[in-house]
Amino acid sequence: MTHSLATCRSDFPILAREAHPGVPLTFLDSGASSQKPESVIRAMDDYYRLHHANVHRGIHVLAEEATALYEGSRDSVQRFINAATRKEIIYTRNATEAINLVAYSWARANLKAGDRIVLTEMEHHANLVPWHILAGQIGVELDFVPVTDDGLLDLDAYARLLTREPKLVAFTHMSNVLGTINPVESLAAQAHAAGAKVLVDGAQSVPHLPVDVQTLGADFLAFSAHKMCGPTGIGVLWARQELLEAMPVFMGGGDMIRKVTLAGFKPNDLPYKFEAGTPAIAEGVGLGAAVDYLTGLGMEAVAAHERELITYALERLEEIPGVRVYGPPAERKGGVAAFTLEGVHPHDIAQVLDRDGVAVRAGHHCAQPLHERFDLAATARASFYLYNTRDDVDRLVVSLYRVKKLFA
Amino acid sequence: MDDFYRELILDHYKNPRFRGTLDPHSFTYEDENPLCGDKLRIDVRLDDTGHVVESAFTGRGCAISQASASLLMEKIQGASLDELRALNKDDVLELLGIDLTPARLKCALLSLKVLKAGAYGLSGESNPDE
Ligand SMILES: Cc1ncc(COP(=O)(O)O)c(C=O)c1O
């Protein structure tokens, strides 16, 4: 394993495969899910080969080893986002479940009909639908911060929505379509001044930027392991301990209880209070290895690498006649370029690129309202991660010229 | 790709036949593929004996969905209502002449779905495909 961005590509076995016989793979779909380094794959493999047993209550060597590995990953995650205590790291299935946990537990206990929640037009469906469900069930009202033509949140409109005294403000740290990096600290400070709690969807930021919950300003932060070099099946909800202590339990079952009688139960301490049933143990171990891997590279370095790549990518894409990239300029965004090519449907773009081994995503990227905002049915999206290079951008551009020629 | 985007498909995409709307029409139907945002409307005019005299489509979508609509319009000229109702997935795939991945099958079959929904709607019968 390397600890250098320059050579980290070789840590990812899948990147050595061909997309089709004789055609190298150019993977530009990490925004949907990242690839996994050898260290993560090996940690999970070793876990199953050598250490697996159910965690927490076992009094035998495997149970103790499994518990130590699984709980050790929680310590890694705690350090990674600089949480005050490991009790604040709640494991979920993914970012989506983390947001739902807040909607089901915190929101149902603290909000009532007529209370307002501020969201934005650039949210992923994961940070829209749980609130739609809540609105349908308990009658909260949803407000949406508009997105400007250059893909930024309309801050004047945000300030106006805050005067309506929302109880919760929930927004993405980084848009998975526009790449926009939102100014979380100032948005959160304004929200707090207005008396609202702040939920930050970190699904796209935690994998790509240094995130420190002590300075971020969020009350809740949700993210998924699979977008940050870790496995599918595990995600994280971080929240301050006092908040989590005050929240009612979410799902019931084993592990989340201290004591059960026929008459009822007493919930377990944090973080277990919110983790019902046998957890995703191997996935926890994998997440720990992913976080250690990212820590080894340094998140500052990862962010700088992606900034450089997106700057180059925007330059190259914008020189192709007919290509339009959505979102702010490179200084305000992460490694995501959603674009259209005049006269060619994004599905056709993706299909032709695939023949050249270039993997991009085409569709609405689970952000239909945002696409509607820009009057688009779909976009093609290239998203970059720490293992991508300028060569990947060049191959994308060459292949896009082939699309143009085919459809000319 | 040279097969996927073969000449015929690109030609029908770039120069769609039977594009437009019909007024009056015997039936019209519109539907979409919410996942990809493809939208399609088909209008059909039948003569007294229930045969297609004219048909037209409008909509937006990928080359596969638009070409399959154009090819289908071409195929159904003169067809009877029963023949419209009997059309199936294999007929459309034969028109396109390519193998489709599951992700793209929905694009290819949108026009068939819209046409059959319209044809069944005309007599108030339920469409056995639904
Ligand atoms: C901004 C954003 N939020 C939430 C999610 C949901 O992540 P998951 O599907 O892992 O729960 C995604 C993933 O696409 C995302 O990009």
Side-chain angles (χ1 to χ4, degrees), chain A residues 165-168 190-197:
Chain A
E165 300 184 348
K167 292 290 195 321
L168 176 70
Q190 293 176 71
H192 286 145
K197 290 277 184 278

Short mmCIF file of all heavy atoms in Angstrom, two decimals, chain A residues 165-168 190-197:
data_model
loop_
_atom_site.label_atom_id
_atom_site.label_comp_id
_atom_site.label_asym_id
_atom_site.label_seq_id
_atom_site.Cartn_x
_atom_site.Cartn_y
_atom_site.Cartn_z
N GLU A 165 -38.61 31.05 11.16
CA GLU A 165 -38.28 30.25 12.34
C GLU A 165 -38.43 28.75 12.16
O GLU A 165 -39.21 28.09 12.88
CB GLU A 165 -39.08 30.74 13.55
CG GLU A 165 -38.78 32.19 13.85
CD GLU A 165 -39.47 32.69 15.10
OE1 GLU A 165 -40.35 31.99 15.63
OE2 GLU A 165 -39.10 33.79 15.56
N PRO A 166 -37.70 28.21 11.21
CA PRO A 166 -37.75 26.75 11.03
C PRO A 166 -37.16 26.05 12.25
O PRO A 166 -36.33 26.62 12.97
CB PRO A 166 -36.88 26.52 9.80
CG PRO A 166 -35.94 27.68 9.78
CD PRO A 166 -36.72 28.85 10.32
N LYS A 167 -37.56 24.79 12.43
CA LYS A 167 -37.01 24.00 13.53
C LYS A 167 -35.78 23.21 13.07
O LYS A 167 -34.96 22.79 13.88
CB LYS A 167 -38.07 23.00 14.04
CG LYS A 167 -39.25 23.68 14.73
CD LYS A 167 -38.80 24.25 16.05
CE LYS A 167 -39.90 24.66 17.01
NZ LYS A 167 -41.08 25.27 16.48
N LEU A 168 -35.71 23.00 11.76
CA LEU A 168 -34.59 22.21 11.21
C LEU A 168 -34.20 22.79 9.85
O LEU A 168 -35.07 23.18 9.06
CB LEU A 168 -35.01 20.75 11.03
CG LEU A 168 -33.97 19.83 10.37
CD1 LEU A 168 -32.78 19.58 11.30
CD2 LEU A 168 -34.60 18.49 9.97
N GLN A 190 -26.12 30.84 10.87
CA GLN A 190 -27.39 31.58 10.67
C GLN A 190 -28.58 30.75 11.14
O GLN A 190 -29.52 31.28 11.74
CB GLN A 190 -27.58 31.92 9.20
CG GLN A 190 -26.59 32.92 8.64
CD GLN A 190 -26.81 33.10 7.14
OE1 GLN A 190 -27.79 33.68 6.70
NE2 GLN A 190 -25.91 32.57 6.35
N ALA A 191 -28.56 29.46 10.84
CA ALA A 191 -29.67 28.59 11.22
C ALA A 191 -29.79 28.53 12.75
O ALA A 191 -30.88 28.63 13.31
CB ALA A 191 -29.47 27.19 10.65
N HIS A 192 -28.63 28.40 13.41
CA HIS A 192 -28.65 28.34 14.88
C HIS A 192 -29.17 29.64 15.47
O HIS A 192 -29.93 29.65 16.44
CB HIS A 192 -27.26 28.01 15.41
CG HIS A 192 -26.89 26.57 15.19
ND1 HIS A 192 -25.60 26.16 14.91
CD2 HIS A 192 -27.63 25.45 15.22
CE1 HIS A 192 -25.57 24.84 14.77
NE2 HIS A 192 -26.80 24.38 14.95
N ALA A 193 -28.77 30.75 14.86
CA ALA A 193 -29.23 32.05 15.36
C ALA A 193 -30.75 32.15 15.23
O ALA A 193 -31.40 32.83 16.01
CB ALA A 193 -28.55 33.19 14.59
N ALA A 194 -31.30 31.44 14.23
CA ALA A 194 -32.75 31.46 14.04
C ALA A 194 -33.43 30.39 14.88
O ALA A 194 -34.65 30.21 14.82
CB ALA A 194 -33.08 31.27 12.56
N GLY A 195 -32.65 29.62 15.63
CA GLY A 195 -33.24 28.63 16.53
C GLY A 195 -33.43 27.25 15.92
O GLY A 195 -34.12 26.41 16.49
N ALA A 196 -32.83 27.01 14.76
CA ALA A 196 -33.02 25.71 14.10
C ALA A 196 -31.85 24.78 14.39
O ALA A 196 -30.73 25.22 14.66
CB ALA A 196 -33.14 25.92 12.59
N LYS A 197 -32.12 23.49 14.32
CA LYS A 197 -31.06 22.48 14.30
C LYS A 197 -30.61 22.31 12.85
O LYS A 197 -31.36 22.63 11.92
CB LYS A 197 -31.59 21.14 14.83
CG LYS A 197 -31.87 21.17 16.33
CD LYS A 197 -30.59 20.91 17.11
CE LYS A 197 -30.84 20.83 18.60
NZ LYS A 197 -30.91 22.18 19.24
#
